[in-house]
Amino acid sequence: MSINTLEKLSILKEKTAGKYKALLYDCDGTLADNMLAHKLSYKEAAAKYGIDLDTNIIDELAGWPTLLVAEEISKRYQTYLPDTFSKEKTAVFFDRYIERTEPIAFVTEHLKSNFGKALIGVVSGGSRRTVQKTLSVLGLTDYIDVLICAGETPNGKPYPDPFLAAAKTLEVDPSECMVFEDGDPGVTAAIAAGMDWVRIDKI
């Protein structure tokens, strides 16, 4: 690992060592270095409907389920995206990008180093199919105790529901959980759930 990666890993370990019963990680942009791939997938899928998508919106809505992102794009561009849009975007991502997913090394190493010491969860706004494939490509599948994905709780991020569902499944109090996130909606959700959090892209 590079010196920079080791330094960041050390920071994460200092923040979490021995303090929490459960560690809950977002997937895209936190464990997986794939946000550019998601942006390009959204842009290509939107172009089919005549939308020249400003991909900054994807950063803004990081952690939102694809279906809700599509609805927001429709509002902002005053157009109509069909219900099939989320499937079309996902198809582009699977066909072009998912097998090339690289890890955010200091976060994936942190997860692995805590395996067996704390319960491990992944809480994502992505579909279960996409997240499971991403975790498989990253070699993390066997480290995960619980996986919560889009559509599996009444509300997604920025609501606390996904994180609370993970804590309930793991039989851990929310106050004993640490969340790792790269987006504002995820941080908002963690705060609302009463959990401590680390903003990965600020380290």
Side-chain angles (χ1 to χ4, degrees):
M1 287 187 288
S2 68
I3 293 175
N4 190 44
T5 296
L6 288 171
E7 289 175 346
K8 291 182 176 182
L9 177 58
S10 178
I11 291 170
L12 279 193
K13 286 183 175 180
E14 288 176 8
K15 289 178 177 292
T16 58
K19 297 179 182 178
Y20 301 95
K21 290 185 178 180
L23 305 176
L24 307 179
Y25 301 82
D26 176 44
C27 184
D28 300 330
T30 298
L31 293 169
D33 187 9
N34 59 4
M35 288 309 295
L36 177 59
H38 278 290
K39 289 178 184 180
L40 294 174
S41 299
Y42 272 110
K43 191 171 184 70
E44 182 174 331
K48 177 181 175 182
Y49 298 96
I51 297 173
D52 182 14
L53 184 66
D54 178 356
T55 56
N56 286 326
I57 190 176
I58 308 306
D59 289 322
E60 180 185 338
L61 305 179
W64 283 32
T66 306
L67 185 61
L68 295 183
V69 174
E71 291 177 358
E72 187 65 20
I73 292 171
S74 294
K75 290 178 185 176
R76 297 194 189 187
Y77 285 84
Q78 298 182 333
T79 188
Y80 170 73
L81 291 176
D83 294 340
T84 56
F85 177 81
S86 60
K87 292 182 179 179
E88 293 167 8
K89 178 268 173 182
T90 299
V92 173
F93 182 69
F94 262 80
D95 292 345
R96 296 185 184 274
Y97 301 108
I98 200 165
E99 291 289 351
R100 293 182 278 168
T101 302
E102 294 289 333
I104 296 179
F106 76 99
V107 187
T108 57
E109 288 303 314
H110 181 267
L111 185 155
K112 291 177 182 178
S113 71
N114 280 282
F115 181 67
K117 301 175 185 177
L119 296 168
I120 305 294
V122 172
V123 180
S124 173
S127 69
R128 179 165 284 264
R129 173 173 175 254
T130 302
V131 176
Q132 285 180 324
K133 178 63 175 178
T134 300
L135 294 174
S136 176
V137 171
L138 295 177
L140 296 176
T141 302
D142 293 339
Y143 295 89
I144 309 305
D145 295 302
V146 65
L147 176 61
I148 304 293
C149 299
E152 297 178 355
T153 56
N155 299 292
K157 303 172 190 176
Y159 294 92
D161 304 36
F163 288 122
L164 293 175
K168 183 177 181 180
T169 301
L170 295 173
E171 299 182 342
V172 174
D173 190 90
S175 65
E176 298 174 312
C177 298
M178 168 65 87
V179 170
F180 303 85
E181 272 284 354
D182 70 304
D184 290 339
V187 170
T188 300
I191 293 170
M195 299 178 180
D196 288 344
W197 54 276
V198 175
R199 182 70 180 256
I200 292 301
D201 60 350
K202 300 300 183 184
I203 294 178

